[in-house]
Amino acid sequence: MKKTVLILLVAIVAFAFKPYQGVVGKMFPAMTCENYNGKQILLPDVAKGKITLIGMAFSNAAEKDLKTWIDPLYNTFIPSEKQKEEDNPFDISSINYDVNLYFVPMFTKANQLMSKGAKDKIKKESNPALYPYLLFYEGDKTYKEELDFEQKDVPYFFVIDKTGKIKYATSGSFDEKKLDEIIDAVSE
């Protein structure tokens, strides 16, 4: 009995922080964001023709978990100048993925009132090298239904194919297994 309860508990915890996989195969919804310079960017249109990885956070708690992903995703998918110069097929660290990468803090409903200060704080605390990968969403639409968000306090990640369809979805703080699954989705 204890074993059955333990297995059930592990299964519930394992799936509690994953977006519903029913979004896989659906088009990523149109979302107007703003880059760090204030220029309007339309997702997924700006990314069409290229695999795109989007990380989204709806709250301060989610933003903290989103930050656990920034370095691993940036270091995996954005080639350094050294990697761009070296094209060594025998060095796994020199793999250059042709991927768009965006981190999107979401300011919806009441959070819109605090967006200016929060955006300024995020920009101030972010490495300037990350600015091209940082987009801000501000609006009334939460995308909860379209993207099957269950919790606002965890970040959500989507791999979008070249046509704008969702290939893979996950959520929560960083772990190697999730990163490996993202790499697999990008590499397919």
Side-chain angles (χ1 to χ4, degrees), residues 107-115 140:
F107 299 100
T108 60
K109 300 188 180 194
N111 288 339
Q112 290 181 64
L113 300 174
M114 300 178 289
S115 67
D140 292 325

Side-chain angles (χ1 to χ4, degrees), residues 37-175:
N37 285 325
K39 180 182 174 190
Q40 297 236 323
I41 305 289
L42 183 61
L43 289 174
D45 289 2
V46 71
K48 291 246 170 114
K50 199 170 179 180
I51 300 291
T52 301
L53 176 57
I54 301 171
M56 303 167 72
F58 289 89
S59 68
N60 286 337
E63 186 183 328
K64 287 177 187 170
D65 281 344
L66 180 73
K67 287 178 181 179
T68 67
W69 283 91
I70 291 174
D71 284 341
L73 290 176
Y74 182 84
N75 293 334
T76 300
F77 294 112
I78 306 303
S80 68
E81 289 305 314
K82 181 181 176 187
Q83 288 172 318
K84 288 177 187 175
E85 293 170 8
E86 299 174 358
D87 191 15
N88 182 351
F90 301 106
D91 181 5
I92 195 156
S93 70
S94 70
I95 294 174
N96 290 325
Y97 296 94
D98 188 21
V99 174
N100 288 316
L101 175 62
Y102 298 111
F103 299 101
V104 186
M106 306 284 288
F107 299 100
T108 60
K109 300 188 180 194
N111 288 339
Q112 290 181 64
L113 300 174
M114 300 178 289
S115 67
K116 172 76 172 113
K119 286 182 200 177
D120 290 343
K121 181 180 176 193
I122 290 168
K123 289 176 189 176
K124 182 180 175 185
E125 293 176 354
S126 296
N127 178 341
L130 294 173
Y131 288 174
Y133 312 101
L134 185 60
L135 300 178
F136 300 96
Y137 171 79
E138 187 174 336
D140 292 325
K141 192 164 179 69
T142 64
Y143 297 95
K144 183 175 182 171
E145 293 78 30
E146 294 93 332
L147 297 172
D148 275 330
F149 297 138
E150 294 189 14
Q151 299 178 3
K152 69 174 190 159
D153 291 336
V154 296
Y156 292 86
F157 297 87
F158 301 92
V159 175
I160 313 300
D161 74 9
K162 294 177 181 183
T163 67
K165 282 186 184 172
I166 299 170
K167 289 180 69 170
Y168 175 80
T170 193
S171 63
S173 60
F174 172 80
D175 73 45

Side-chain angles (χ1 to χ4, degrees), residues 1-16:
M1 178 69 172
K2 287 181 181 179
K3 192 175 187 178
T4 304
V5 171
L6 180 61
I7 290 171
L8 182 60
L9 188 59
V10 168
I12 289 170
V13 169
F15 292 105

